C-alpha cells in the first residue's frame, strides 16, 4: 500500500497521534510521514522518522513544514480535551479552533489535498437522547470542548460545501490504548485503571461506578481513520463528522473485567468535576451512517480489549 503521498501529523506526541504516526509509517514508509508536536517527542517517535516542532496555532510554521516536505494530507490531532478545557476555556477555544482554520485554509488554497480532523461524542449534550444517539440529533453541548468540536464540525462541512475541501472526520468515543496515555479527558479513567492494576495499586475512580460511556480500543480507532481516509470520495456523504461506535461500559463493568486478571485489585469511586461532563454525554451511539457509507465495523468488545491491554502492558 506504499504510495507517493506525504502525510503530516500535527499532535504526533498525543494519545491518538503517536499510534497513528506509527501505523502510517508502517503503511507508507517512515520518510513519507512527518510527525510534529509542540511537545518534545519520545525517543521512540524521534527514532522512527522525521519530526518537526510545531505550534498548531501558528499558520506560518504549519505552512513552511507543508511546503518543505511536500505534504498532501494533514491529520490535525492537536487539541485540548474536555477536562482540561473546562479549566482554561479561552485557551482551549483558541487551540482547537485556530489550528483547524489554519489546516482548512491550507486545503482551501490548494496547498494540501486532504484533511483528517477528530471530533468527539462531546458534541452531544444533556438534551441529546442518551441511548443509541443517531447521526442527526439535538446537539447542545455544555462543555467548552464540546462547543469547540461542534463549531469545528460546522466549519468542516462549510469548507467542504463552499470550497470543496476534502475534510473527513469521526466523532470519537473514549479511547483505550496501551501504547499511549490520554491527557486531560473525561474518559481517561479507562486507561489509568489498567496502569494501577498492573502496578498492584488500588484505583480511585473520578467517575461513579454506573456512568456508562461510549468507548473504543485504539486499534479500532486507527483502523477507522485509515478506512475513512481511503474511502472513495463519493462514498463520504457526511462532511461534519461521522458517529462511530464500538462498545459502551461503566467503570464498574471495566473493573469487573480487570479483576479477573488481577484478583486483588481494588477500586474506590470518588466522582469529581468530570462527573458532570460525563453525565452530559450519551451512553451509546448509533453509527449506521459510517457502516453504510464506508463499511465501518468494530473488532474489539470489552473482553477482547481487556485481554489485549494485559497482553501488551
Ligand atoms: C475526552 O474525554 O475529553 C475525550 C473525548 C471523549 O473526546 N476522550
Amino acid at each position: 500500500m506504499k504510495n507517493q503521498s506525504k502525510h503530516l501529523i500535527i499532535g504526533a506526541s498525543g494519545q491518538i497521534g503517536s499510534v497513528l504516526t506509527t501505523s502510517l509509517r508502517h503503511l507508507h514508509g517512515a520518510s513519507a510521514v512527518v510527525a510534529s508536536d509542540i511537545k518534545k517527542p519520545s525517543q521512540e517517535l524521534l527514532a522512527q522518522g522525521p519530526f518537526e516542532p510545531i505550534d498548531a496555532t501558528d499558520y506560518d510554521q504549519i505552512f513552511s513544514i507543508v511546503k518543505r516536505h511536500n505534504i498532501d494530507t494533514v491529520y490535525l490531532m492537536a487539541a485540548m480535551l474536555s477536562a482540561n478545557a473546562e479549566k482554561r476555556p479561552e485557551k482551549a477555544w483558541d487551540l482547537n479552533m485556530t489550528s483547524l482554520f489554519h489546516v482548512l485554509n491550507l486545503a482551501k488554497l490548494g496547498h494540501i489535498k486532504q484533511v483528517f480532523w477528530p471530533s468527539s461524542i462531546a458534541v452531544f449534550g444533556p438534551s441529546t437522547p442518551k441511548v443509541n444517539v443517531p447521526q442527526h440529533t439535538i446537539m447542545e453541548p455544555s462543555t467548552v470542548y464540546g462547543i469547540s468540536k461542534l463549531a469545528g464540525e460546522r466549519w468542516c462541512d462549510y469548507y467542504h460545501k463552499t470550497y470543496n475541501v476534502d475534510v473527513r472526520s469521526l466523532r470519537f468515543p473514549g479511547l483505550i490504548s496501551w501504547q499511549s496515555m490520554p491527557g486531560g479527558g473525561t474518559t481517561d479513567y479507562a486507561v489509568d485503571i489498567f496502569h494501577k492494576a498492573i502496578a498492584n495499586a488500588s484505583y480511585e475512580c473520578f467517575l461513579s461506578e454506573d456512568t456508562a460511556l461510549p468507548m473504543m480500543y485504539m486499534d479500532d480507532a486507527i483502523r477507522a481513520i485509515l478506512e475513512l481516509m481511503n474511502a472513495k470520495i463519493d462514498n463520504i456523504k457526511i462532511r461534519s463528522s461521522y458517529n462511530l461506535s464500538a462498545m459502551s461500559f461503566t467503570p464498574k463493568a471495566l473493573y469487573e473485567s480487570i479483576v479477573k486478571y488481577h484478583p486483588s485489585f481494588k477500586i474506590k469511586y470518588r466522582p469529581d468535576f468530570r462527573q458532570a461532563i460525563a453525565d452530559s454525554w450519551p451512553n451509546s451511539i448509533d453509527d449506521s451512517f459510517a457502516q453504510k457509507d464506508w463499511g465501518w465495523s468494530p473488532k474489539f468488545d470489552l473482553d477482547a480489549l481487556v485481554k489485549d491491554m494485559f497482553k501488551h502492558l
Side-chain angles (χ1 to χ4, degrees), residues 162-286:
T162 314
Y163 309 119
N164 206 22
V165 165
D166 186 3
V167 53
R168 305 179 183 201
S169 176
L170 298 168
R171 288 176 183 154
F172 281 121
L175 296 180
I176 294 121
S177 52
W178 55 268
Q179 304 94 323
S180 54
M181 294 300 286
T186 302
T187 58
D188 294 12
Y189 89 85
V191 180
D192 298 343
I193 191 172
F194 282 95
H195 291 271
K196 288 286 191 283
I198 56 165
N200 279 326
S202 59
Y203 183 60
E204 193 173 289
C205 185
F206 57 77
L207 297 183
S208 69
E209 62 179 354
D210 53 359
T211 308
L213 287 172
M215 297 281 186
M216 179 176 281
Y217 199 41
M218 187 59 84
D219 292 39
D220 273 339
I222 299 296
R223 193 167 49 78
I225 298 175
L226 301 178
E227 288 179 6
L228 177 73
M229 293 302 271
N230 284 324
K232 287 206 192 91
I233 197 154
D234 292 345
N235 291 349
I236 308 299
K237 311 274 190 236
I238 291 180
R239 294 297 187 155
S240 51
S241 191
Y242 277 97
N243 273 9
L244 195 69
S245 171
M247 66 190 99
S248 289
F249 56 75
T250 61
K252 183 164 185 256
L254 180 57
Y255 169 74
E256 282 166 359
S257 296
I258 289 176
V259 94
K260 288 181 200 153
Y261 293 79
H262 289 268
S264 59
F265 182 50
K266 297 271 182 288
I267 191 165
K268 263 193 223 137
Y269 300 95
R270 198 154 292 160
D272 66 14
F273 73 100
R274 287 167 282 193
Q275 185 66 45
I277 302 177
D279 288 342
S280 77
W281 291 350
N283 302 148
S284 59
I285 303 288
D286 172 353

Side-chain angles (χ1 to χ4, degrees), residues 139-150:
M139 296 168 89
E140 296 178 323
S142 54
T143 63
V144 174
Y145 176 63
I147 294 168
S148 75
K149 287 294 178 187
L150 181 55

Side-chain angles (χ1 to χ4, degrees), residues 42-57:
S42 65
Q43 282 310 318
E44 198 190 335
L45 197 73
L46 258 187
Q48 263 181 13
F51 178 88
E52 297 277 2
I54 211 170
D55 173 355
T57 61

